[in-house]
Amino acid sequence: MYLYNDYLKAAEYISSHIGDHKPEIMVILGSGLGGVADLVEDAAVIPYGDIHGFARSTAPDHAGRLVVGRLAGRCVMVMQGRFHYYEGYEPEQVVFPINVAHVMGIKRLILTNAAGAINIGYSVGDIMLIRDHIKLCAPTPFRGENIPELGPRFFDMTYTYSPRLRETARKNASKLGIRLQEGVYFYFTGPQFETPAEIRAARLLGGDAAGMSTVYEAIAASHCGMEVLGLSLMTNMAAGVLPEKLSGSDVVETANRMKKPFSELVMACIADMGDE
Ligand code: HPA
């Protein structure tokens, strides 16, 4: 169990290693999408290993460093690589950086991920704006004593994926000529990909994309009152949609192919997020 002091300690360490930067937006980069961090200007880079309470990134293609600087005219704190439950971390460890960002005064969060398309109307390479998520049968990061400085014991999840930021994403995708799907992210713990039967069940329940991340971070953001924008890249059709096997290398390959439009959309959303 972390104490409030652990969040303070991490926040103080980060603040004392980023010069004059005052980050206002946190961006978490998913599998194969870490390249956005290379576009940060005037960057201060802190390896996760140096920050009190931070876990280590063990997933492939997750660099494991915090990059703070300017992106699209705003001051951002970018996580180049995130923590996943399947890496052996507790959900509380997965969301530790979100709570640290809250303590630092950050009020907006962009969550990105690679996901498998459950919706048969989607294509590989499509970007899906997350409207909502489903997490069944997986633990919550907020089991145990609540820390009131972070948020209330019971909290609402109705507007977790900010309607305002979704509108910003739609507007900017259309300006950039990017086809944007909008749907429900269905969380699976991984690291195994799903079975075709699990994907059929997820589709029946209203899932449009399957993935192994994001929901814990979105829950933590709701808890501490951050606005969330969630963008999923469809790196593959989910299990059983096509008569073929899935592989982790397809995920990274599609993410690499799509990194330009994906980064453009992320940057346009950052530039146009407003100051609310
Ligand atoms: N399932 C779960 N997570 C994923 C997938 C998938 O098909 N593709 C990329 N991340």
Side-chain angles (χ1 to χ4, degrees):
M1 270 305 275
Y2 293 110
L3 303 173
Y4 186 56
N5 207 35
D6 293 309
Y7 301 104
L8 281 179
K9 203 166 160 184
E12 273 162 20
Y13 182 86
I14 296 167
S15 300
S16 65
H17 285 77
I18 57 175
D20 291 337
H21 290 311
K22 284 257 165 307
E24 37 173 345
I25 302 167
M26 184 179 201
V27 185
I28 302 190
L29 299 173
S31 296
L33 305 169
V36 175
D38 300 333
L39 305 172
V40 175
E41 290 161 17
D42 197 13
V45 177
I46 312 176
Y48 293 162
D50 292 354
I51 311 171
H52 172 81
F54 265 55
R56 307 282 178 279
S57 276
T58 70
D61 207 52
H62 284 249
R65 45 192 214 154
L66 206 57
V67 181
V68 180
R70 297 200 72 78
L71 190 61
R74 314 294 292 248
C75 189
V76 294
M77 179 158 92
V78 179
M79 279 186 77
Q80 197 175 21
R82 59 152 55 87
F83 311 129
H84 304 82
Y85 182 65
Y86 68 71
E87 292 175 272
Y89 298 126
E90 294 302 327
E92 192 195 19
Q93 291 175 285
V94 172
V95 305
F96 184 80
I98 310 294
N99 290 325
V100 172
H102 166 70
V103 170
M104 292 171 66
I106 295 177
K107 298 207 162 43
R108 265 158 291 153
L109 174 64
I110 302 182
L111 296 172
T112 70
N113 60 59
I118 297 175
N119 188 319
I120 55 168
Y122 292 2
S123 305
V124 171
D126 277 355
I127 299 173
M128 184 188 88
L129 177 59
I130 306 180
R131 186 177 62 234
D132 203 346
H133 76 226
I134 299 175
K135 172 184 80 61
L136 301 175
C137 308
T140 165
F142 293 102
R143 182 164 170 266
E145 195 177 329
N146 186 51
I147 299 180
E149 289 89 342
L150 301 180
R153 166 81 300 179
F154 300 106
F155 53 100
D156 184 59
M157 291 288 294
T158 311
Y159 301 109
T160 296
Y161 299 92
S162 157
R164 184 181 81 82
L165 296 184
R166 271 156 48 206
E167 184 49 37
T168 304
R170 281 186 217 111
K171 189 178 83 188
N172 283 284
S174 134
K175 264 196 210 159
L176 291 165
I178 293 172
R179 180 160 76 138
L180 191 63
Q181 307 286 5
E182 187 162 347
V184 174
Y185 180 93
F186 200 107
Y187 174 73
F188 289 91
T189 61
Q192 73 285 359
F193 288 115
E194 300 71 36
T195 64
E198 285 167 341
I199 291 299
R200 284 196 302 275
R203 185 181 299 121
L204 274 176
L205 292 174
D208 295 295
M212 307 175 191
S213 67
T214 301
V215 301
Y216 292 127
E217 296 141 354
I219 292 169
S222 260
H223 182 241
C224 68
M226 270 185 206
E227 271 187 303
V228 177
L229 173 66
L231 294 170
S232 292
L233 176 66
M234 301 302 111
T235 51
N236 55 281
M237 298 309 288
V241 175
L242 301 174
E244 58 192 40
K245 285 183 159 191
L246 305 190
S247 98
S249 54
D250 295 344
V251 172
V252 173
E253 197 187 292
T254 312
N256 269 331
R257 189 161 52 78
M258 296 305 296
K259 73 178 168 213
K260 190 164 174 282
F262 198 88
S263 321
E264 280 172 0
L265 180 58
V266 169
M267 308 249 291
C269 290
I270 290 174
D272 195 24
M273 267 195 170
D275 295 312
E276 230 172 82

